[in-house]
Amino acid sequence: MMSFFSKTAFSTMRKNKMIYVPYLITASLMTMLYYILSSVQIMVAESGMSGSLTMTEILRVSRWVSGFLSLIFLFYINSFVMKRRSKEFGLFSVLGLEKGHLAKIVFWEILFTFVSSLMIGIFSGAILSQLMFLLLLYIVGIPSLLHFRFPFQAVGVTTILFAAGWLVVLLYSQVVVFRSEPIAFLQSAKEGEREPKSKTWATLLGLLSLGAGYTLALKVVSPFEAIAIFFPAVMFVMLGTYCLFLSGSIALLKLLRRNKNFYYHPSNFISVSGMIYRMKRNAAGLASICILATAVLVTLSSTVCLYLGEEDMLDRQYPRDFTISSFWPADSPDLFLLLKTVSSNYAKSYGLEIQNEYGSIEAIESDNDEPAQVYYTFYFDLNQEPSDYAFYENMRESYLQSIPRLAQTESKSLVRAEFFQIYGSLLFVGVFFVALFLVTTVLIIYYKQITEGFDDSERFRIMQQVGLSHKEVKQTILQQILMVFFLPLLVAFVHISVAFPVLLKMLTVFGMTNRNLFLLCVMSSCAVFALFYGVIYRATAGAYYRIVQNKQVS
Amino acid sequence: MSLLQVQHVKKIYTTRFGGQQVQALSDVNFEIEVGEFVAIMGESGSGKTTLLNILATLDKPSAGKILLLQQDMAGIPDAKRAAFRRDHLGFVFQDFNLLDTFSVRDNILLPLVLARVPLAEMELRLLPLAEQLQLQGILQQYPYEISGGQRQRTAIARALITKPKILLADEPTGALDSRTSENLLQLFRQINQNGQTILMVTHSTKAASHANRVLFIKDGTVYHQLYRTEQPQEQFYQKIADSLTVLSSGGNTL
Ligand SMILES: Nc1ncnc2c1ncn2[C@@H]1O[C@H](COP(=O)(O)OP(=O)(O)O)[C@@H](O)[C@H]1O
Ligand SMILES: [Mg+2]
């Protein structure tokens, strides 16, 4: 039998479905993404295919990172939902529910959300993970092995991780319930009614921090320096973004308001004043959207670039199909002749011919007492693909017989397979991260829109009474939403433009030096993201407009 | 000259669920001359707000006609209603309906900004009005920082700044204490003496006694009216109170 508290929990969730359903969907999607990553990792590990070790490692690391991020996002979203609902809690308190009762209601809500999102997430994840496994195999270029399974281990880790996450959410919510006064519940929805003060120090800190981050990024010369400064720079930029959104935006809006010719124009008048008024509440969300958007762009463009640039990197490192290299005493006769003869003979034993051969010599620094050495590298192609796989397998053995100090015998097609496994896996997890960021971004935008909608509906009702037409309401809404929602996108674009050289340097560590390809990847990521963002904006602006419109006069 | 003519106005609300019909106004007729200060009295639920919303073009009558300066308001296309409201009508509401996002000054200027009046002209209109309504000192403050009386005076300034043909007020003293109410009603009289036509809806006898004419509304129709003529306010107050007693005890004459 259901208790009073669980029943109340259900009925409040039903009443708040505009807030609650998207919350549940998001939680389920996060669970699903995590479950898919874990089960694909297990499927890859168990498949025993070549390269499964590298791929498992990449998947394992990203699984942890994505799990961690999911929990942070869940926590963030939950605190938002709690704030939104404090009014309702206040009403309950006034009606005579004690804090202990409220805590029980919240407990039931969170328990329900946990259980249902876990079930939905794992169920949909189980269906999709097979598909995702096939997708991964397709991306890394391995023919499908048809290894369908439902790894129970993945169910276990997903359940444990999310149980822990929801436990933290639960504890936080209980603390919120117990620490607040009933009257504060009633007031907290009214918080932020006062015009926010623009704090000069915060604006300055933001400018300095952003400046520091940008300077670090722009002054980078070497790839390793790029890796070293990347995380400090990211931290600086994040701090700067938050400070500037929180404080700088208000300072800017007040500046706009001081410009009377701009301000006293119908739509500017309404938008600017409305934005100042609510910027305090909006700013943190917008800064988060901006950071998430930047994360999406960085992840998407670099993983896609590495994947697409695979052939390019391969060509740079391996100009021919085969690469043989060896150390050789500097005073001995030329090794190239030997290398060529050995290669030619080896190819002939499989009925093949070598072609396009060329070589390179590199001096090796040595200690004084050792004889000087040089490093020979010999490159060649074959007239046709070897049909016998033994050609690759016996190659090293065969060369070693004539060239004792052999360094490497690499075949481009084997390395290519390896590259595909690494960069394909990276692309695969990159897509997962992008999905995770996007899900969170969309939810934040949606919540912003409906909160704004509820807040604004009263204002627009009044404005219609004093003579704002329907058309003007619509136009004003459009402008306001444009200002609010495209600012983070714009700033994200600025961030990625500044980060571009650093990212490019970091990619050279992987051997990726094709600047134009990366530029193309960044630009198309921006374009795709902007398009996606636009679609989300339109959809949520519709929700906003419906809410505002609900209370309007004709 | 007749400023406003209300002829056989009827309003029936159909509730969204169940389709139940509520007749808020059955047959309302009256006229208002330029320069009058008219109060419409009635109990709560008698249809006062409904009537005012219709006059304000915020709602449409189910039947009947409203003429403002001989022009039929039904003839105004929907798209022009907002502009019409802005240019010809001023409103004051019981709960002030000020916007917390704007300072007092910007709240007052709002209708002018919407009408795209030039900045210089706005300033020109604002200053004398602020002086008359004693708002000079609080122009930079926000609605949540000022008292109820100040808020209502702000709302009146916002209504008057467009120089409306008629000022419509719905229970303007409803949320104020008696002293502040008294001041506000004095202000209304003063504004009226300066030539502003006012139509005020109220359930307070005290408020109605400040008007030059009182219409009584009941069961969705105007069934009685009193002129103040030259009598002092106390006497008029008494007369209104008497009428209400007589009328509520069953008298039904016009
Ligand atoms: N939007 C509406 N839908 C249905 N009925 C309404 C609506 N507005 C008012 N009414 C009804 O019309 C009648 C008159 O209401 P109202 O004009 O607000 O009265 P007053 O302002 O005199 O108190 C009431 O019975 C009220 O319930
Ligand atoms: Mg009313």
Side-chain angles (χ1 to χ4, degrees), chain A residues 193-195 257 260-261 263-266 269-270 273-274 277 458-459 461-469 472 553-554, chain B residues 57-58 79 82 85-86 91 93 97-102 105-106 109-111 113-114 116 119 122-123 142 144-145 158:
Chain A
E193 303 271 296
R194 252 158 225 284
E195 176 166 299
R257 186 170 64 180
K260 289 192 173 175
N261 286 323
Y263 180 57
Y264 288 103
H265 172 277
F269 189 63
I270 296 161
S273 65
Y277 182 73
E458 181 64 16
R459 298 200 297 132
R461 188 180 64 79
I462 296 174
M463 282 192 229
Q464 286 195 314
Q465 283 174 342
V466 295
L468 193 75
S469 72
E472 284 165 323
V553 291
S554 58
Chain B
T57 71
L58 294 169
R85 218 157 26 217
R86 202 165 58 204
F91 307 95
F93 303 89
N97 278 355
L98 297 178
L99 293 161
D100 276 346
T101 53
F102 290 118
R105 175 197 157 87
D106 287 349
L109 292 181
L110 179 62
V113 177
L114 296 181
R116 294 167 200 270
L119 203 56
M122 286 194 217
E123 306 273 355
Y142 283 81
Y144 47 80
E145 298 171 329
R158 181 181 67 186

Side-chain angles (χ1 to χ4, degrees), chain B residues 44-45 47-50 94 170-171 201:
Chain B
S44 173
K48 303 184 297 291
T49 299
T50 305
Q94 173 175 348
D170 188 357
E171 311 255 13
V201 145

Side-chain angles (χ1 to χ4, degrees), chain B residues 11-16 20-25 41-53 59 94 170-171 201-203 217:
Chain B
K11 179 70 186 179
I12 296 172
Y13 286 114
T14 309
T15 48
R16 217 179 298 178
Q20 246 181 339
Q21 297 203 325
V22 180
Q23 175 152 332
L25 301 173
M41 275 203 81
E43 287 168 12
S44 173
S46 56
K48 303 184 297 291
T49 299
T50 305
L51 176 62
L52 209 70
N53 282 345
D59 207 346
Q94 173 175 348
D170 188 357
E171 311 255 13
V201 145
T202 181
H203 70 271
I217 188 171

